[in-house]
Protein backbone atom coordinates (compact mmCIF):
# COMPACT_ATOMS: atom_id res chain seq x y z
CA UNK A 1 0.00 0.00 0.00
CA UNK A 2 1.50 3.35 -0.99
CA UNK A 3 1.93 6.01 1.74
CA UNK A 4 -0.74 8.64 2.06
CA UNK A 5 0.27 11.80 0.13
CA UNK A 6 1.10 14.89 2.15
CA UNK A 7 -1.34 17.76 1.84
CA UNK A 8 0.55 21.06 1.36
CA UNK A 9 -2.39 22.97 2.81
CA UNK A 10 -2.21 20.93 6.03
CA UNK A 11 1.54 21.51 6.24
CA UNK A 12 1.11 25.27 5.87
CA UNK A 13 -1.66 25.34 8.47
CA UNK A 14 0.41 23.36 10.96
CA UNK A 15 3.30 25.79 10.53
CA UNK A 16 1.06 28.84 11.03
CA UNK A 17 -0.65 27.40 14.10
CA UNK A 18 2.63 26.26 15.66
CA UNK A 19 4.28 29.63 15.10
CA UNK A 20 1.31 31.42 16.68
CA UNK A 21 1.27 29.13 19.71
CA UNK A 22 5.02 29.38 20.23
CA UNK A 23 5.03 33.16 19.90
CA UNK A 24 1.95 33.77 22.06
CA UNK A 25 2.13 31.03 24.69
CA UNK A 26 5.71 29.85 24.70
CA UNK A 27 7.35 26.41 24.41
CA UNK A 28 4.90 24.77 26.81
CA UNK A 29 2.17 25.09 24.16
CA UNK A 30 4.16 23.07 21.65
CA UNK A 31 2.68 19.60 21.85
CA UNK A 32 1.62 17.53 18.87
CA UNK A 33 -1.79 17.00 20.50
CA UNK A 34 -2.41 20.74 20.98
CA UNK A 35 -1.24 21.62 17.48
CA UNK A 36 -3.29 18.87 15.87
CA UNK A 37 -6.40 19.93 17.80
CA UNK A 38 -6.00 23.53 16.65
CA UNK A 39 -5.61 22.33 13.05
CA UNK A 40 -8.50 19.91 13.25
CA UNK A 41 -6.31 16.96 12.29
CA UNK A 42 -4.54 14.03 13.93
CA UNK A 43 -1.26 14.07 15.81
CA UNK A 44 0.10 11.74 13.14
CA UNK A 45 -0.12 14.63 10.66
CA UNK A 46 2.60 16.49 12.56
CA UNK A 47 5.00 13.56 12.26
CA UNK A 48 3.96 12.78 8.68
CA UNK A 49 4.89 16.28 7.54
CA UNK A 50 7.83 17.10 9.81
CA UNK A 51 9.16 13.87 11.31
CA UNK A 52 9.39 15.31 14.82
CA UNK A 53 8.60 18.41 16.84
CA UNK A 54 12.15 19.63 16.26
CA UNK A 55 11.56 19.18 12.55
CA UNK A 56 8.42 21.28 12.83
CA UNK A 57 10.27 24.15 14.53
CA UNK A 58 13.04 23.98 11.93
CA UNK A 59 10.45 24.20 9.15
CA UNK A 60 8.90 27.26 10.80
CA UNK A 61 12.27 28.98 10.70
CA UNK A 62 12.89 27.97 7.09
CA UNK A 63 9.38 28.95 6.05
CA UNK A 64 9.80 32.42 7.50
CA UNK A 65 13.07 33.02 5.70
CA UNK A 66 11.61 31.51 2.54
CA UNK A 67 8.78 34.04 2.57
CA UNK A 68 11.28 36.84 3.07
CA UNK A 69 13.35 35.60 0.12
CA UNK A 70 10.23 35.44 -2.05
CA UNK A 71 9.37 39.03 -1.18
CA UNK A 72 12.93 40.24 -1.80
CA UNK A 73 12.84 38.56 -5.22
CA UNK A 74 10.11 40.99 -6.27
CA UNK A 75 12.42 43.99 -5.77
CA UNK A 76 13.88 44.81 -9.17
CA UNK A 77 17.03 46.87 -9.65
CA UNK A 78 16.57 50.41 -10.92
CA UNK A 79 18.87 53.28 -11.84
CA UNK A 80 18.54 54.51 -8.22
CA UNK A 81 20.34 51.95 -6.02
CA UNK A 82 19.62 53.92 -2.85
CA UNK A 83 15.89 53.74 -3.58
CA UNK A 84 16.36 50.01 -4.21
CA UNK A 85 18.01 49.61 -0.80
CA UNK A 86 15.23 51.55 0.89
CA UNK A 87 12.72 49.36 -0.95
CA UNK A 88 14.43 46.28 0.48
CA UNK A 89 14.06 47.80 3.93
CA UNK A 90 10.35 48.35 3.36
CA UNK A 91 9.93 44.77 2.20
CA UNK A 92 11.80 43.46 5.25
CA UNK A 93 9.59 45.43 7.58
CA UNK A 94 6.39 44.60 5.74
CA UNK A 95 7.10 40.89 5.50
CA UNK A 96 8.01 40.70 9.18
CA UNK A 97 4.79 42.41 10.24
CA UNK A 98 2.62 40.36 7.89
CA UNK A 99 4.24 37.18 9.28
CA UNK A 100 4.74 38.30 12.88
CA UNK A 101 4.42 34.85 14.46
CA UNK A 102 6.94 33.30 12.09
CA UNK A 103 9.25 36.29 12.50
CA UNK A 104 9.42 35.83 16.26
CA UNK A 105 10.40 32.19 15.74
CA UNK A 106 13.03 33.01 13.09
CA UNK A 107 14.94 35.14 15.60
CA UNK A 108 13.76 33.39 18.75
CA UNK A 109 17.12 32.95 20.40
CA UNK A 110 18.95 29.77 21.32
CA UNK A 111 16.05 27.65 22.51
CA UNK A 112 12.70 27.15 20.79
CA UNK A 113 10.50 24.52 22.44
CA UNK A 114 13.58 22.47 23.23
CA UNK A 115 14.98 22.96 19.74
CA UNK A 116 18.19 24.87 19.15
CA UNK A 117 18.98 26.49 15.82
CA UNK A 118 22.07 25.07 14.21
CA UNK A 119 24.68 27.03 12.33
CA UNK A 120 23.18 25.58 9.16
CA UNK A 121 19.76 26.96 10.13
CA UNK A 122 21.22 30.41 10.75
CA UNK A 123 23.09 30.28 7.46
CA UNK A 124 19.75 29.68 5.77
CA UNK A 125 18.66 33.03 7.20
CA UNK A 126 21.91 34.80 6.33
CA UNK A 127 21.36 33.81 2.69
CA UNK A 128 18.67 36.50 2.59
CA UNK A 129 21.36 39.13 3.13
CA UNK A 130 22.85 38.52 -0.34
CA UNK A 131 20.53 40.93 -2.22
CA UNK A 132 21.17 43.57 0.45
CA UNK A 133 24.93 43.23 0.03
CA UNK A 134 24.63 43.40 -3.75
CA UNK A 135 22.47 46.52 -3.55
CA UNK A 136 24.83 48.18 -1.06
CA UNK A 137 27.69 47.49 -3.48
CA UNK A 138 25.77 49.24 -6.24
CA UNK A 139 25.23 52.25 -3.96
CA UNK A 140 28.99 52.41 -3.40
CA UNK A 141 29.83 51.94 -7.08
CA UNK A 142 27.42 54.73 -8.04
CA UNK A 143 29.22 57.16 -5.74
CA UNK A 144 26.14 57.68 -3.55
CA UNK A 145 27.79 55.86 -0.62
CA UNK A 146 31.41 56.29 0.41
CA UNK A 147 33.81 53.45 -0.33
CA UNK A 148 33.21 50.87 2.36
CA UNK A 149 32.70 47.17 2.85
CA UNK A 150 29.33 46.43 1.24
CA UNK A 151 28.84 43.47 3.57
CA UNK A 152 29.23 45.76 6.59
CA UNK A 153 26.81 48.31 5.11
CA UNK A 154 24.28 45.51 4.60
CA UNK A 155 24.70 44.39 8.20
CA UNK A 156 24.12 47.95 9.43
CA UNK A 157 20.90 47.96 7.43
CA UNK A 158 19.86 44.60 8.87
CA UNK A 159 20.65 45.64 12.44
CA UNK A 160 18.62 48.82 12.12
CA UNK A 161 15.61 47.25 10.41
CA UNK A 162 15.51 44.28 12.75
CA UNK A 163 15.67 46.48 15.82
CA UNK A 164 12.91 48.72 14.55
CA UNK A 165 10.68 45.77 13.67
CA UNK A 166 11.18 44.18 17.08
CA UNK A 167 10.13 47.39 18.83
CA UNK A 168 7.20 47.83 16.46
CA UNK A 169 5.94 44.29 16.98
CA UNK A 170 6.31 44.77 20.72
CA UNK A 171 4.11 47.87 20.61
CA UNK A 172 6.82 50.16 21.96
CA UNK A 173 6.76 52.75 19.16
CA UNK A 174 3.96 55.20 19.88
CA UNK A 175 3.20 58.88 19.22
CA UNK A 176 5.02 61.16 18.81
CA UNK A 177 7.66 58.67 17.61
CA UNK A 178 5.44 55.96 16.15
CA UNK A 179 6.65 53.11 13.96
CA UNK A 180 5.98 54.86 10.64
CA UNK A 181 7.73 58.07 11.62
CA UNK A 182 10.70 56.18 13.01
CA UNK A 183 10.99 53.97 9.94
CA UNK A 184 11.02 56.85 7.48
CA UNK A 185 13.48 58.91 9.52
CA UNK A 186 15.73 55.95 10.27
CA UNK A 187 15.88 54.91 6.61
CA UNK A 188 16.99 58.37 5.52
CA UNK A 189 19.47 58.47 8.41
CA UNK A 190 20.97 55.13 7.35
CA UNK A 191 21.52 56.36 3.81
CA UNK A 192 23.11 59.61 4.99
CA UNK A 193 25.25 57.69 7.47
CA UNK A 194 26.54 55.54 4.60
CA UNK A 195 27.62 58.68 2.73
CA UNK A 196 24.60 59.87 0.76
CA UNK A 197 23.58 63.55 0.60
CA UNK A 198 20.53 64.40 2.72
CA UNK A 199 18.35 65.72 -0.12
CA UNK A 200 19.26 62.78 -2.38
CA UNK A 201 18.55 60.31 0.41
CA UNK A 202 15.14 61.86 1.09
CA UNK A 203 14.24 61.73 -2.59
CA UNK A 204 15.27 58.08 -2.89
CA UNK A 205 13.36 57.05 0.23
CA UNK A 206 10.26 58.77 -1.14
CA UNK A 207 10.75 57.01 -4.48
CA UNK A 208 11.01 53.67 -2.68
CA UNK A 209 7.65 54.27 -0.98
CA UNK A 210 6.01 55.00 -4.31
CA UNK A 211 7.55 51.89 -5.84
CA UNK A 212 6.48 49.78 -2.88
CA UNK A 213 2.86 50.80 -3.43
CA UNK A 214 3.18 50.09 -7.16
CA UNK A 215 4.74 46.64 -6.72
CA UNK A 216 2.85 45.36 -3.71
CA UNK A 217 -0.39 47.27 -4.16
CA UNK A 218 -1.96 50.21 -2.38
CA UNK A 219 -2.79 47.89 0.50
CA UNK A 220 -0.48 45.37 2.11
CA UNK A 221 -1.38 41.87 3.17
CA UNK A 222 -3.38 43.09 6.15
CA UNK A 223 -5.29 45.70 4.18
CA UNK A 224 -3.56 48.80 5.60
CA UNK A 225 -3.30 51.43 2.87
CA UNK A 226 0.07 52.87 1.90
CA UNK A 227 0.50 56.62 1.52
CA UNK A 228 3.96 57.03 -0.02
CA UNK A 229 3.75 60.78 -0.37
CA UNK A 230 4.38 61.09 3.37
CA UNK A 231 7.76 59.35 3.24
CA UNK A 232 10.00 62.09 1.99
CA UNK A 233 10.66 64.21 5.06
CA UNK A 234 12.69 61.63 6.91
CA UNK A 235 14.96 63.52 9.31
CA UNK A 236 12.66 66.47 9.97
CA UNK A 237 10.02 64.35 11.62
CA UNK A 238 7.08 63.65 9.34
CA UNK A 239 6.05 60.04 8.89
CA UNK A 240 4.24 57.85 6.44
CA UNK A 241 1.51 55.31 6.73
CA UNK A 242 2.48 51.75 7.49
CA UNK A 243 3.28 49.69 4.41
CA UNK A 244 3.34 45.94 4.56
CA UNK A 245 4.49 43.36 2.07
CA UNK A 246 2.28 40.45 1.22
CA UNK A 247 2.87 37.10 2.85
CA UNK A 248 4.39 34.79 0.28
CA UNK A 249 5.20 31.13 0.46
CA UNK A 250 8.32 29.65 -1.03
Amino acid sequence: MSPRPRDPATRAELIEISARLLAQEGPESMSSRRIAKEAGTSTMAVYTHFGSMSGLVREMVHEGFGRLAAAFARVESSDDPVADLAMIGRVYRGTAIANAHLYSVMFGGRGLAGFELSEEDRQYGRFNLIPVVECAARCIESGRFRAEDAMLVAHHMWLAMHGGVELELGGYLIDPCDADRCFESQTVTLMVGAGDALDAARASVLASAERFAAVFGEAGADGVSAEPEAAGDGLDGSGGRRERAPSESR
Side-chain angles (χ1 to χ4, degrees):
M1 182 177 178
S2 61
R4 184 177 180 179
R6 299 177 183 179
D7 183 356
T10 299
R11 175 188 176 278
E13 185 176 14
L14 290 170
I15 287 174
E16 290 290 344
I17 290 171
S18 301
R20 172 175 56 79
L21 289 174
L22 185 57
Q24 293 181 346
E25 300 183 25
E28 62 276 7
S29 68
M30 291 290 289
S31 72
S32 58
R33 185 182 299 274
R34 172 74 183 280
I35 293 166
K37 182 179 179 181
E38 294 269 344
T41 187
S42 67
T43 56
M44 184 56 66
V46 175
Y47 299 100
T48 297
H49 285 275
F50 308 107
S52 65
M53 293 301 291
S54 291
L56 171 56
V57 176
R58 173 175 280 110
E59 281 302 303
M60 282 191 275
V61 174
H62 290 190
E63 177 72 15
F65 282 118
R67 293 183 185 188
L68 181 60
F72 276 172
R74 295 182 64 184
V75 180
E76 297 182 355
S77 297
S78 73
D79 59 1
D80 184 345
V82 176
D84 297 345
L85 192 59
M87 177 77 161
I88 289 173
R90 291 184 188 281
V91 170
Y92 183 91
R93 179 196 181 200
T95 305
I97 294 170
N99 299 276
H101 301 319
L102 283 175
Y103 187 82
S104 66
V105 176
M106 290 155 62
F107 299 100
R110 291 184 176 275
L112 295 166
F115 170 77
E116 291 190 3
L117 298 181
S118 67
E119 183 60 23
E120 181 181 354
D121 295 324
R122 291 191 174 90
Q123 193 59 38
Y124 190 91
R126 292 188 190 105
F127 177 79
N128 285 277
L129 200 61
I130 292 175
V132 190
V133 176
E134 292 174 344
C135 190
R138 289 175 52 232
C139 292
I140 294 169
E141 291 166 3
S142 71
R144 295 282 297 274
F145 287 1
R146 60 178 167 270
E148 230 178 334
D149 182 352
M151 177 71 78
L152 184 59
V153 173
H155 273 77
H156 287 165
M157 186 81 172
W158 190 13
L159 287 166
M161 292 298 158
H162 177 72
V165 165
E166 286 286 345
L167 291 173
E168 181 172 3
L169 290 176
Y172 290 102
L173 301 179
I174 60 175
D175 290 335
C177 294
D178 64 15
D180 296 317
R181 180 183 180 189
C182 286
F183 176 84
E184 302 300 337
S185 178
Q186 180 186 51
T187 304
V188 174
T189 300
L190 283 167
M191 306 311 176
V192 173
D196 203 12
L198 177 57
D199 288 344
R202 284 176 170 168
S204 291
V205 171
L206 174 58
S208 75
E210 294 169 342
R211 282 177 55 197
F212 186 93
V215 173
F216 292 96
E218 288 297 328
D222 61 355
V224 179
S225 296
E227 293 179 5
E229 66 275 10
D233 291 327
L235 295 177
D236 67 6
S238 68
R241 296 285 295 174
R242 179 174 301 172
E243 299 113 8
R244 302 183 182 179
S247 169
E248 293 186 39
S249 298
R250 285 177 290 172

Coordinates of all heavy atoms in Angstrom, one line a residue, residues 74-128:
R74 N 11.0 40.1 -5.5 CA 10.1 41.0 -6.3 C 10.7 42.4 -6.4 O 10.1 43.3 -7.0 CB 8.7 41.0 -5.6 CG 8.0 39.7 -5.7 CD 6.6 39.7 -5.1 NE 5.7 40.6 -5.8 CZ 4.5 40.9 -5.5 NH1 4.0 40.3 -4.4 NH2 3.7 41.7 -6.2
V75 N 11.8 42.7 -5.7 CA 12.4 44.0 -5.8 C 13.4 44.0 -6.9 O 14.4 43.4 -6.9 CB 13.2 44.3 -4.5 CG1 13.8 45.7 -4.6 CG2 12.2 44.2 -3.3
E76 N 13.0 44.7 -8.0 CA 13.9 44.8 -9.2 C 14.9 46.0 -9.1 O 14.5 47.0 -8.5 CB 13.0 45.0 -10.4 CG 12.1 43.8 -10.7 CD 11.3 44.0 -11.9 OE1 11.4 45.1 -12.6 OE2 10.5 43.0 -12.3
S77 N 16.0 45.8 -9.7 CA 17.0 46.9 -9.6 C 16.6 48.0 -10.6 O 16.0 47.8 -11.6 CB 18.4 46.3 -10.1 OG 18.9 45.3 -9.2
S78 N 16.9 49.2 -10.1 CA 16.6 50.4 -10.9 C 17.8 51.2 -11.1 O 18.9 50.8 -10.7 CB 15.5 51.2 -10.2 OG 16.0 51.9 -9.1
D79 N 17.7 52.4 -11.7 CA 18.9 53.3 -11.8 C 19.1 54.1 -10.6 O 20.0 55.0 -10.6 CB 18.7 54.2 -13.1 CG 17.5 55.1 -13.0 OD1 16.7 55.0 -12.0 OD2 17.2 55.8 -13.9
D80 N 18.4 53.8 -9.5 CA 18.5 54.5 -8.2 C 18.8 53.4 -7.2 O 17.9 52.9 -6.5 CB 17.3 55.3 -7.9 CG 17.5 56.1 -6.6 OD1 18.4 55.8 -5.8 OD2 16.7 57.0 -6.3
P81 N 20.1 53.0 -7.0 CA 20.3 51.9 -6.0 C 20.0 52.3 -4.6 O 19.7 51.4 -3.8 CB 21.9 51.7 -6.2 CG 22.4 53.0 -6.7 CD 21.3 53.6 -7.6
V82 N 20.0 53.6 -4.2 CA 19.6 53.9 -2.8 C 18.1 53.7 -2.6 O 17.7 53.2 -1.6 CB 20.0 55.4 -2.5 CG1 19.5 55.8 -1.2 CG2 21.5 55.5 -2.6
A83 N 17.3 54.0 -3.6 CA 15.9 53.7 -3.6 C 15.7 52.2 -3.5 O 14.8 51.8 -2.8 CB 15.2 54.3 -4.8
D84 N 16.5 51.5 -4.2 CA 16.4 50.0 -4.2 C 16.6 49.5 -2.8 O 16.0 48.6 -2.3 CB 17.3 49.4 -5.2 CG 17.1 49.7 -6.6 OD1 16.0 50.2 -6.9 OD2 18.0 49.5 -7.5
L85 N 17.7 50.1 -2.1 CA 18.0 49.6 -0.8 C 16.9 50.0 0.2 O 16.6 49.2 1.1 CB 19.3 50.3 -0.4 CG 20.0 49.7 0.9 CD1 20.3 48.2 0.7 CD2 21.3 50.5 1.2
A86 N 16.3 51.2 0.0 CA 15.2 51.6 0.9 C 14.0 50.7 0.6 O 13.3 50.3 1.6 CB 14.9 53.0 0.6
M87 N 13.8 50.3 -0.6 CA 12.7 49.4 -0.9 C 12.9 48.0 -0.2 O 12.0 47.4 0.3 CB 12.7 49.2 -2.5 CG 11.7 48.2 -3.0 SD 10.0 48.9 -3.0 CE 9.2 47.7 -4.1
I88 N 14.1 47.5 -0.2 CA 14.4 46.3 0.5 C 14.1 46.4 2.0 O 13.5 45.5 2.6 CB 15.9 45.9 0.3 CG1 16.1 45.4 -1.2 CG2 16.3 44.8 1.2 CD1 17.6 45.2 -1.5
G89 N 14.4 47.6 2.5 CA 14.1 47.8 3.9 C 12.6 47.8 4.2 O 12.1 47.2 5.2
R90 N 11.8 48.4 3.2 CA 10.3 48.3 3.4 C 9.8 46.9 3.3 O 8.9 46.5 4.0 CB 9.7 49.2 2.3 CG 10.0 50.7 2.4 CD 9.3 51.5 1.3 NE 9.7 52.9 1.4 CZ 9.3 53.7 2.3 NH1 8.3 53.4 3.2 NH2 9.7 55.0 2.4
V91 N 10.4 46.1 2.4 CA 9.9 44.8 2.2 C 10.3 43.9 3.4 O 9.5 43.1 3.9 CB 10.6 44.1 0.9 CG1 10.3 42.7 0.9 CG2 10.0 44.8 -0.3
Y92 N 11.4 44.2 4.0 CA 11.8 43.5 5.2 C 10.8 43.8 6.4 O 10.3 42.9 7.0 CB 13.2 43.9 5.7 CG 13.7 43.1 6.9 CD1 14.4 42.0 6.7 CD2 13.5 43.6 8.2 CE1 14.9 41.3 7.8 CE2 13.9 42.9 9.3 CZ 14.7 41.8 9.1 OH 15.1 41.1 10.2
R93 N 10.5 45.0 6.5 CA 9.6 45.4 7.6 C 8.2 44.9 7.3 O 7.5 44.3 8.2 CB 9.5 47.0 7.7 CG 8.5 47.5 8.7 CD 8.2 49.0 8.5 NE 7.3 49.5 9.5 CZ 6.6 50.6 9.3 NH1 6.7 51.3 8.2 NH2 5.8 51.0 10.3
G94 N 7.7 45.0 6.1 CA 6.4 44.6 5.7 C 6.2 43.1 5.9 O 5.2 42.6 6.4
T95 N 7.2 42.3 5.4 CA 7.1 40.9 5.5 C 7.1 40.4 6.9 O 6.4 39.5 7.3 CB 8.2 40.2 4.7 OG1 8.2 40.7 3.4 CG2 8.1 38.7 4.7
A96 N 7.9 41.1 7.8 CA 8.0 40.7 9.2 C 6.7 40.9 9.9 O 6.2 40.1 10.6 CB 9.1 41.5 9.9
I97 N 6.1 42.1 9.6 CA 4.8 42.4 10.2 C 3.7 41.5 9.7 O 2.8 41.1 10.5 CB 4.5 43.9 10.0 CG1 5.5 44.8 10.7 CG2 3.0 44.2 10.5 CD1 5.4 46.2 10.4
A98 N 3.7 41.2 8.5 CA 2.6 40.4 7.9 C 2.8 38.9 8.4 O 1.8 38.1 8.3 CB 2.7 40.4 6.4
N99 N 4.0 38.5 8.8 CA 4.2 37.2 9.3 C 4.8 37.2 10.7 O 5.8 36.6 11.0 CB 5.2 36.5 8.3 CG 4.7 36.4 6.9 OD1 4.0 35.4 6.6 ND2 5.1 37.3 6.1
A100 N 4.2 38.0 11.6 CA 4.7 38.3 12.9 C 5.0 37.1 13.7 O 6.1 37.0 14.4 CB 3.8 39.2 13.7
H101 N 4.2 36.0 13.7 CA 4.4 34.8 14.5 C 5.7 34.1 14.0 O 6.5 33.7 14.8 CB 3.2 33.9 14.4 CG 1.9 34.6 14.9 ND1 1.9 35.4 16.1 CD2 0.7 34.5 14.5 CE1 0.7 35.8 16.3 NE2 -0.1 35.3 15.3
L102 N 5.8 34.0 12.6 CA 6.9 33.3 12.1 C 8.2 34.1 12.4 O 9.3 33.6 12.7 CB 6.8 33.1 10.6 CG 5.9 32.0 10.1 CD1 5.8 32.0 8.6 CD2 6.4 30.6 10.6
Y103 N 8.1 35.4 12.3 CA 9.3 36.3 12.5 C 9.8 36.1 13.9 O 11.0 36.0 14.1 CB 8.8 37.7 12.3 CG 10.0 38.7 12.3 CD1 10.8 38.9 11.2 CD2 10.3 39.4 13.4 CE1 11.9 39.8 11.2 CE2 11.4 40.3 13.5 CZ 12.2 40.5 12.3 OH 13.2 41.4 12.4
S104 N 8.9 36.0 14.9 CA 9.4 35.8 16.3 C 10.1 34.5 16.4 O 11.0 34.4 17.3 CB 8.2 35.9 17.2 OG 7.3 34.9 17.1
V105 N 9.7 33.5 15.7 CA 10.4 32.2 15.7 C 11.7 32.2 15.0 O 12.7 31.7 15.5 CB 9.5 31.1 15.1 CG1 10.2 29.7 15.1 CG2 8.2 31.0 15.9
M106 N 11.8 32.9 13.9 CA 13.0 33.0 13.1 C 14.2 33.6 13.9 O 15.3 33.1 13.8 CB 12.8 33.9 11.9 CG 11.9 33.3 10.8 SD 11.1 34.6 9.8 CE 12.5 35.4 9.0
F107 N 13.9 34.5 14.8 CA 14.9 35.1 15.6 C 14.7 34.9 17.1 O 14.9 35.8 17.9 CB 15.0 36.6 15.3 CG 15.3 37.0 13.9 CD1 14.3 37.3 13.0 CD2 16.6 36.9 13.4 CE1 14.5 37.6 11.7 CE2 16.9 37.2 12.1 CZ 15.8 37.5 11.2
G108 N 14.2 33.7 17.4 CA 13.8 33.4 18.7 C 14.8 33.0 19.8 O 14.5 32.6 20.8
G109 N 16.1 33.2 19.4 CA 17.1 33.0 20.4 C 17.6 31.5 20.3 O 17.4 30.8 19.4
R110 N 18.3 31.1 21.3 CA 18.9 29.8 21.3 C 18.0 28.6 21.5 O 18.2 27.6 20.9 CB 20.0 29.7 22.4 CG 21.2 30.6 22.2 CD 22.2 30.4 23.3 NE 23.4 31.2 23.0 CZ 24.4 30.8 22.3 NH1 24.4 29.6 21.7 NH2 25.4 31.6 22.1
G111 N 16.9 28.8 22.3 CA 16.0 27.7 22.5 C 14.6 27.9 22.0 O 14.1 29.0 22.4
L112 N 14.1 27.0 21.3 CA 12.7 27.1 20.8 C 12.0 25.8 21.0 O 12.2 24.9 20.3 CB 12.7 27.5 19.3 CG 13.2 28.8 18.9 CD1 13.4 28.9 17.4 CD2 12.3 29.9 19.3
A113 N 11.2 25.8 22.1 CA 10.5 24.5 22.4 C 11.5 23.3 22.5 O 11.2 22.2 22.0 CB 9.4 24.3 21.4
G114 N 12.6 23.5 23.1 CA 13.6 22.5 23.2 C 14.4 22.3 22.0 O 15.3 21.4 22.0
F115 N 14.2 23.1 21.0 CA 15.0 23.0 19.7 C 15.9 24.1 19.6 O 15.6 25.3 19.9 CB 14.0 23.0 18.5 CG 14.7 23.1 17.2 CD1 15.3 22.0 16.6 CD2 14.7 24.3 16.5 CE1 16.0 22.1 15.4 CE2 15.4 24.4 15.3 CZ 16.0 23.3 14.8
E116 N 17.2 23.8 19.3 CA 18.2 24.9 19.2 C 18.6 25.0 17.7 O 18.8 24.0 17.0 CB 19.4 24.6 20.0 CG 19.2 24.7 21.5 CD 20.5 24.6 22.3 OE1 21.6 24.5 21.6 OE2 20.4 24.6 23.5
L117 N 18.6 26.2 17.2 CA 19.0 26.5 15.8 C 20.4 26.1 15.6 O 21.3 26.4 16.5 CB 18.8 28.0 15.5 CG 17.4 28.5 15.5 CD1 17.4 30.0 15.1 CD2 16.4 27.7 14.6
S118 N 20.7 25.4 14.5 CA 22.1 25.1 14.2 C 22.7 26.2 13.4 O 22.0 27.1 12.9 CB 22.1 23.8 13.4 OG 21.5 24.0 12.1
E119 N 24.0 26.1 13.2 CA 24.7 27.0 12.3 C 24.1 27.0 10.9 O 24.0 28.0 10.2 CB 26.2 26.8 12.3 CG 27.0 27.8 11.5 CD 26.9 29.2 12.0 OE1 26.5 29.4 13.2 OE2 27.1 30.1 11.2
E120 N 23.8 25.8 10.5 CA 23.2 25.6 9.2 C 21.8 26.3 9.1 O 21.5 27.0 8.0 CB 23.0 24.1 8.9 CG 22.4 23.8 7.5 CD 22.2 22.3 7.2 OE1 22.6 21.5 8.1 OE2 21.6 22.0 6.2
D121 N 21.0 26.2 10.1 CA 19.8 27.0 10.1 C 20.0 28.5 10.0 O 19.3 29.2 9.3 CB 19.0 26.7 11.4 CG 18.6 25.2 11.5 OD1 18.2 24.6 10.5 OD2 18.6 24.7 12.7
R122 N 20.9 29.0 10.8 CA 21.2 30.4 10.8 C 21.8 30.8 9.4 O 21.5 31.9 8.9 CB 22.2 30.8 11.9 CG 21.5 30.7 13.3 CD 22.4 31.3 14.3 NE 21.7 31.3 15.6 CZ 21.7 30.3 16.5 NH1 22.5 29.2 16.3 NH2 21.1 30.4 17.6
Q123 N 22.6 30.0 8.8 CA 23.1 30.3 7.5 C 22.0 30.4 6.4 O 22.0 31.2 5.5 CB 24.1 29.2 7.0 CG 24.9 29.6 5.8 CD 25.8 30.9 6.1 OE1 26.3 31.1 7.2 NE2 25.9 31.7 5.1
Y124 N 20.9 29.6 6.6 CA 19.7 29.7 5.8 C 19.2 31.1 5.8 O 18.7 31.6 4.8 CB 18.7 28.6 6.2 CG 17.6 28.4 5.3 CD1 17.6 27.5 4.3 CD2 16.4 29.2 5.4 CE1 16.5 27.3 3.5 CE2 15.3 29.0 4.6 CZ 15.4 28.0 3.6 OH 14.3 27.8 2.7
G125 N 19.2 31.7 7.0 CA 18.7 33.0 7.2 C 19.6 34.1 6.6 O 19.2 35.0 6.0
R126 N 20.9 33.8 6.8 CA 21.9 34.8 6.3 C 21.9 34.9 4.8 O 22.3 35.9 4.2 CB 23.3 34.4 6.8 CG 23.5 34.5 8.3 CD 25.0 34.3 8.7 NE 25.1 34.2 10.1 CZ 25.4 33.0 10.7 NH1 25.5 31.9 10.1 NH2 25.5 33.0 12.0
F127 N 21.4 33.8 4.2 CA 21.4 33.8 2.7 C 20.5 35.0 2.2 O 20.8 35.5 1.1 CB 20.8 32.5 2.2 CG 20.6 32.4 0.7 CD1 21.6 32.1 -0.1 CD2 19.3 32.6 0.2 CE1 21.4 32.0 -1.5 CE2 19.1 32.5 -1.2 CZ 20.2 32.3 -2.0
N128 N 19.5 35.4 3.0 CA 18.7 36.5 2.6 C 19.4 37.8 2.6 O 18.9 38.8 2.0 CB 17.5 36.6 3.6 CG 16.4 35.5 3.3 OD1 15.6 35.6 2.4 ND2 16.5 34.4 4.1

